[in-house]
Amino acid sequence: MNQVGQVVHYILNMGSSVMLPIFIFIIALIFRVKISKAFKAALTIGMGMVGINLVINLLTSNVGPAAQAMVKRFGFHLTIIDVGWPSAAAGAWGQSISAILIPILVVVNIVLLLIGVTKTLDIDIWNYWHMVAAGSVAYIVTKSWWFAILMAIVYMVFCLLIADWTAKDVQGYYGFEGITFPTGSSDAFGLLGIPISWVLTKIPGLNKINVTAETVQEKFGVFGEPMFVGTIIGLVLGLLAGFDVSKTLQTAVNLGAVMVLMPRMVKLLMEGLIPISEGARDMLKKSGSKRTIYLGMDAAMSTGAPATLSTGLVLVPITLFIAAILPGNRVLPFGDLATIPFYVSLVVARRKGNIVNSVITGAIVITFALLMATNFAPVHTEMMRGAIKFPAGATQLSSLDMGGNFLNWILLKLSQFVSAWI
């Protein structure tokens, strides 16, 4: 078991930009893509992931300091620190049960695909950490390996079914043919957010407002283009943070650059995915099967859409404001603020880029997420012990991505119920 764990962790430590191309290459060969074409596709996807990660780092390095400055400027006093998904992932991978979960989850996904329970093949192995986290939490609460494995599988099944449910939205709005998002945080947010966004479309007056990236550009011309929208949002964040002129302008230009660069990185990644998608369709056609297979990818791809990025960035100061006034909340949002665009990806797609509807929906779901993250904090903190250095002044740790995740929270409650009977 220890040797299996070492192999799994060695592969995971390569990072998504190396691990994903290797897995893509294997999948391409299974779908009978020529070796040379499969290798080029895998390498292209690797380059695309490098580009996406660079742009995400640019986004994080600008939103993070702005959020921290806003916290100090407005005097927020909350004792549970949102350490963000990277720390939550590190805590999940650090549990003794994590090593065996990856091969189990891969096999389960393939079996579910073969028997027709799902149409999604989740090839984004790095984001299996969401399922591993669900299993790790269940193990911490119950100390039962079998129950922990079951909870990780249940979480995966939810993600695959939600990915199937939202596949037409992802493909129709983002233009990703044959792609869907089984990313745990995005799926949990969408599970709550899509019904809420639908209710908003039934409210008189509000249902007449349809602000999209396209309508903004149509109304404001060149000043409505993504680079200008990102620059303006960056300018507002800088002013709210109380930055000086120089730092405010740097934040503005950097977020404008994110809006320009992210779609180009996503386009590069999609170039690599096309041969695999075509190979899957050709193989099914030759076999006489009428089935459809979706390739499950990281919801980070959705940030190539200006509406998704804009919605997420607008929600940053709104999230901090909600955290400050929400009764019962003790979580200080920080680490996951830059990843809010991922969370709203399915809502934005379902509402076809309606930014107003998506922002209101996002604010409502984040309200619930903060309360869930507060409730999740004791177990989340226990999972993080030894994985990261606790921030100064933090009595407990949580995250919007894991602690504020509806699926994780439901499974936590189930684990706590079961632990009383074990």
Side-chain angles (χ1 to χ4, degrees), residues 125-158:
I125 298 295
W126 172 253
N127 268 315
Y128 275 46
W129 82 262
H130 292 97
M131 297 82 170
V132 172
S136 296
V137 166
Y139 180 71
I140 289 171
V141 173
T142 67
K143 305 303 179 186
S144 168
W145 280 62
W146 293 111
F147 185 75
I149 292 170
L150 175 62
M151 289 300 94
I153 292 173
V154 168
Y155 193 103
M156 166 169 265
V157 171
F158 270 115

Side-chain angles (χ1 to χ4, degrees), residues 166-206:
T166 57
K168 289 184 179 179
D169 298 322
V170 170
Q171 294 165 24
Y173 179 71
Y174 295 114
F176 300 153
E177 186 177 352
I179 303 298
T180 191
F181 299 150
T183 308
S185 52
S186 304
D187 291 344
F189 199 106
L191 185 62
L192 285 180
I194 290 175
I196 291 172
S197 73
W198 177 82
V199 172
L200 294 178
T201 66
K202 304 302 176 182
I203 298 176
L206 186 59

Side-chain angles (χ1 to χ4, degrees), residues 105 108 112 117-118 131 150-164:
L105 292 169
V108 168
L112 293 176
V117 172
T118 182
M131 297 82 170
L150 175 62
M151 289 300 94
I153 292 173
V154 168
Y155 193 103
M156 166 169 265
V157 171
F158 270 115
C159 289
L160 294 174
L161 294 179
I162 294 170
D164 288 348

Side-chain angles (χ1 to χ4, degrees), residues 323-404:
I325 66 170
L326 181 63
N329 173 58
R330 292 170 52 213
V331 174
L332 176 62
F334 178 65
D336 277 328
L337 288 174
T339 51
I340 291 177
F342 308 163
Y343 306 158
V344 299
S345 59
L346 297 180
V347 173
V348 172
R350 178 59 64 96
R351 299 278 72 90
K352 301 187 186 307
N354 188 329
I355 296 172
V356 172
N357 182 293
S358 300
V359 168
I360 296 173
T361 299
I364 294 171
V365 178
I366 284 171
T367 300
F368 289 116
L370 287 166
L371 295 175
M372 288 186 287
T374 298
N375 181 258
F376 213 117
V379 176
H380 202 302
T381 302
E382 186 176 348
M383 192 182 81
M384 302 307 296
R385 294 194 187 281
I388 67 167
K389 182 179 178 180
F390 279 35
T395 58
Q396 289 184 317
L397 305 179
S398 194
S399 64
L400 292 177
D401 198 300
M402 193 188 99

Side-chain angles (χ1 to χ4, degrees), residues 192-365:
L192 285 180
I194 290 175
I196 291 172
S197 73
W198 177 82
V199 172
L200 294 178
T201 66
K202 304 302 176 182
I203 298 176
L206 186 59
N207 58 7
K208 302 296 183 182
I209 302 174
N210 184 24
V211 178
T212 66
E214 292 74 23
T215 58
V216 170
Q217 187 169 345
E218 182 180 331
K219 186 172 182 178
F220 295 99
V222 66
F223 294 103
E225 291 184 7
M227 71 169 68
F228 287 102
V229 173
T231 301
I232 292 169
I233 292 174
L235 191 65
V236 172
L237 290 180
L239 293 173
L240 288 173
F243 289 159
D244 58 28
V245 174
S246 175
K247 197 164 185 180
T248 297
L249 292 177
Q250 288 176 6
T251 302
V253 172
N254 285 339
L255 290 187
V258 168
M259 297 285 277
V260 173
L261 294 174
M262 187 61 85
R264 300 183 184 187
M265 295 303 102
V266 171
K267 183 179 179 181
L268 178 62
L269 190 146
M270 283 304 299
E271 287 178 11
L273 284 171
I274 289 172
I276 289 86
S277 181
E278 290 177 345
R281 285 201 307 271
D282 290 343
M283 188 178 76
L284 289 172
K285 187 176 180 179
K286 289 177 182 178
S287 67
S289 174
K290 294 182 179 180
R291 290 187 57 193
T292 300
I293 293 180
Y294 305 135
L295 299 180
M297 288 293 294
D298 193 338
M301 292 174 61
S302 67
T303 54
T308 304
L309 264 180
S310 298
T311 298
L313 293 176
V314 168
L315 280 168
V316 169
I318 292 175
T319 299
L320 288 169
F321 176 74
I322 292 172
I325 66 170
L326 181 63
N329 173 58
R330 292 170 52 213
V331 174
L332 176 62
F334 178 65
D336 277 328
L337 288 174
T339 51
I340 291 177
F342 308 163
Y343 306 158
V344 299
S345 59
L346 297 180
V347 173
V348 172
R350 178 59 64 96
R351 299 278 72 90
K352 301 187 186 307
N354 188 329
I355 296 172
V356 172
N357 182 293
S358 300
V359 168
I360 296 173
T361 299
I364 294 171
V365 178

